[in-house]
Amino acid sequence: MSGDREIDEILQRGADGGRITPEEALLIYTDAPLHPLGEAADAVRRRRYPDGIVTYLIDRNINYTNVCVTACKFCAFYRAPKHAEGWSHDLDEILRRCGEAADLGATQVMLQGGHHPDYGVQYYEQLFSAVKAAFPQLAIHSIGPSEILHMAKVSGVSIEEAIRRITAAGLDSIAGAGAEMLPDRPRRAIAPLKESGQRWLEVMEIAHRMGVESTATMMMGTGETHAERIAHLAMIRDVQDRTGGFRAFIPWTYQPENNHLKGRTQATTMEYLRMVATSRLFFDNVAHLQSSWLTTGKDVGQLSLHMGVDDLGSIMLEENVISSAGARHRSKLTELIWMIRSADRIPAQRDTLYRHLRVHRTPADDPTDERVVSHFSSIAIAPSGVAATR
Ligand code: SF4
């Protein structure tokens, strides 16, 4: 088969819901013309979501500590134990932030933090149970496999016991955080002290088998090859074939400021959009595809809605981790809705389970609360409510 005919056949098969191999995914990622690639991916979205709805979420990313022993080279957020800029928020401050989020209509909190040397399972039990008791309306979609491995190690318990105890305390689902790049070579280059990609997936698989679902992410643009990006997708798809526990795939682009990775370049807009479309065609077993307007910008986020994306993610009432590394895009509820509608889609607020809470079929249905705005802090600005440093 000639190259063009082979690409056409792969795109058609993917658009029709057929499975494409990793080798075929690499071929279309690198060689398919952009418009046919995007059209094929958008055909998948239309078949899965014929109502034309694109969802968004109101949530707040609350960081309990920036103290971390894992020292990932790409991370601008963490501080080593005993660093003068290390901080931890006490429970009152975390609950205050949850309360603000609830007042603004948030349905989810993402509690994330560094691998603090003292934080074992008991810390997370206390944190999640306090948030759940005070704000039962907030889904706790939080932490990731890296935090679970860390807390299990600190407490000397199994992965299963850690997951059982923190879900009993209130954790609803696990964030896809910490996936970065899963294949060994690029992962070791950017996060040598972090668990392997295989171990990250093992924790997800254990959680899925225990009935705890999650999302999956990919951070692209730290020097990995195209083939390694596709290998990352294949590793996730293999687990999903066995568990079905990944609700969504969320690719985002590495942000290059204030970290220890020197000389790396970000993924380009074209690479990002091609990855969005390729992943929609490749993940025949993952329901939702979310784009990352925070890292790529709102214009690219809006373009992605024509390349297979069905979810624009969160307004992010607070985000500190990726913004510390240079992501400066902000939005607000009314703008996010406008972005979706002007891309010729129907906006709808969703919850953590992707259920539609409010469908805005016409502008008359739109919320008008101008207080629902993205807030980002910077490593240059001391966070409020700092309870302790170490
Ligand atoms: S990415 Fe997470 S684990 Fe890595 S250094 Fe930053 S806070 Fe620590």
Side-chain angles (χ1 to χ4, degrees):
M1 203 183 293
S2 76
D4 287 352
R5 278 184 52 209
E6 185 182 4
I7 286 172
D8 289 347
E9 190 278 323
I10 297 167
L11 293 179
Q12 189 61 56
R13 179 157 30 95
D16 291 342
R19 175 151 286 200
I20 64 177
T21 68
E23 294 74 24
E24 291 170 334
L26 181 58
L27 178 64
I28 60 171
Y29 178 57
T30 56
D31 286 20
L34 180 67
H35 287 103
L37 178 64
E39 282 171 16
D42 207 46
V44 176
R45 179 197 59 79
R46 284 197 303 275
R47 198 182 57 257
R48 283 181 173 270
Y49 308 104
D51 54 13
I53 285 176
V54 164
T55 49
Y56 70 89
L57 177 75
I58 303 177
D59 89 338
R60 182 169 189 168
N61 295 6
I62 300 172
N63 307 112
Y64 40 87
T65 185
N66 71 345
V67 175
C68 186
V69 295
T70 303
C72 300
K73 293 182 183 176
F74 64 87
C75 180
F77 170 75
Y78 88 94
R79 292 294 180 270
K82 304 196 187 310
H83 192 288
E85 294 170 358
W87 50 262
S88 298
H89 291 311
D90 64 18
L91 195 51
D92 286 346
E93 173 60 15
I94 293 169
L95 290 175
R96 187 189 68 75
R97 293 183 186 214
C98 289
E100 281 182 352
D103 286 346
L104 291 171
T107 60
Q108 172 181 297
V109 284
M110 177 122 77
L111 301 165
Q112 283 185 306
H115 299 168
H116 192 294
D118 298 339
Y119 289 4
V121 176
Q122 194 178 12
Y123 169 82
Y124 291 91
E125 286 180 306
Q126 290 169 349
L127 174 64
F128 296 153
S129 60
V131 170
K132 202 50 125 178
F135 304 102
Q137 72 271 43
L138 293 176
I140 304 178
H141 174 74
S142 296
I143 60 170
S146 306
E147 286 83 6
I148 293 171
L149 284 162
H150 176 73
M151 73 175 77
K153 185 176 168 192
V154 170
S155 296
V157 302
S158 66
I159 304 303
E160 288 84 351
E161 181 175 344
I163 294 172
R164 184 184 56 71
R165 286 172 52 183
I166 58 177
T167 52
L171 179 72
D172 292 295
S173 51
I174 298 173
E180 332 302 4
M181 286 303 300
L182 294 172
D184 284 342
R185 189 206 65 81
R187 191 175 185 83
R188 273 199 302 268
I190 61 173
L193 301 182
K194 213 166 209 166
E195 74 285 350
S196 69
Q198 202 54 48
R199 191 73 174 128
W200 188 94
L201 287 165
E202 283 169 13
V203 176
M204 284 298 199
E205 187 154 359
I206 290 169
H208 293 174
R209 292 194 189 288
M210 294 173 70
V212 185
E213 294 189 333
S214 72
T215 53
T217 62
M218 176 171 83
M219 179 181 71
M220 55 189 291
T222 57
E224 71 282 354
T225 65
H226 293 324
E228 286 164 342
R229 290 174 182 170
I230 299 301
H232 178 104
L233 304 187
M235 292 168 79
I236 292 169
R237 191 173 75 173
D238 286 350
V239 171
Q240 183 75 342
D241 276 343
R242 293 194 292 274
T243 71
F246 291 118
R247 292 174 182 156
F249 179 64
I250 310 158
W252 58 280
T253 56
Y254 158 70
Q255 302 295 299
E257 294 182 13
N258 306 316
N259 65 27
H260 296 286
L261 273 187
K262 304 283 186 242
R264 308 284 171 146
T265 56
Q266 287 174 275
T268 65
T269 294
M270 285 292 279
E271 286 177 298
Y272 182 74
L273 289 173
R274 298 182 72 86
M275 175 50 65
V276 161
T278 301
S279 56
R280 182 61 285 174
L281 291 160
F282 187 74
F283 283 123
D284 56 346
N285 57 1
V286 177
H288 299 284
L289 178 63
Q290 176 183 323
S291 65
S292 171
W293 63 265
L294 170 65
T295 59
T296 63
K298 288 174 279 190
D299 46 358
V300 178
Q302 194 181 36
L303 264 176
S304 73
L305 301 184
H306 285 269
M307 308 200 81
V309 165
D310 65 281
D311 182 67
L312 207 48
S314 171
I315 191 67
M316 279 177 286
L317 297 169
E318 177 180 352
E319 205 290 329
N320 305 296
V321 176
I322 301 174
S323 48
S324 297
R328 295 194 176 81
H329 306 290
R330 295 164 187 250
S331 192
K332 57 184 181 179
L333 179 58
T334 49
E335 184 182 48
L336 220 60
I337 290 170
W338 171 82
M339 284 163 60
I340 296 171
R341 181 172 287 118
S342 60
D344 204 22
R345 302 284 181 264
I346 299 169
Q349 184 186 354
R350 69 164 172 90
D351 65 7
T352 306
L353 294 170
Y354 289 83
R355 295 176 299 199
H356 297 167
L357 302 177
R358 291 198 292 180
V359 180
H360 315 299
R361 295 202 180 276
T362 72
D365 302 324
D366 288 358
T368 54
D369 192 341
E370 293 286 338
R371 299 174 307 153
V372 185
V373 175
S374 312
H375 290 283
F376 301 133
S377 56
S378 150
I379 56 167
I381 301 169
S384 64
V386 172
T389 57
R390 51 175 303 126

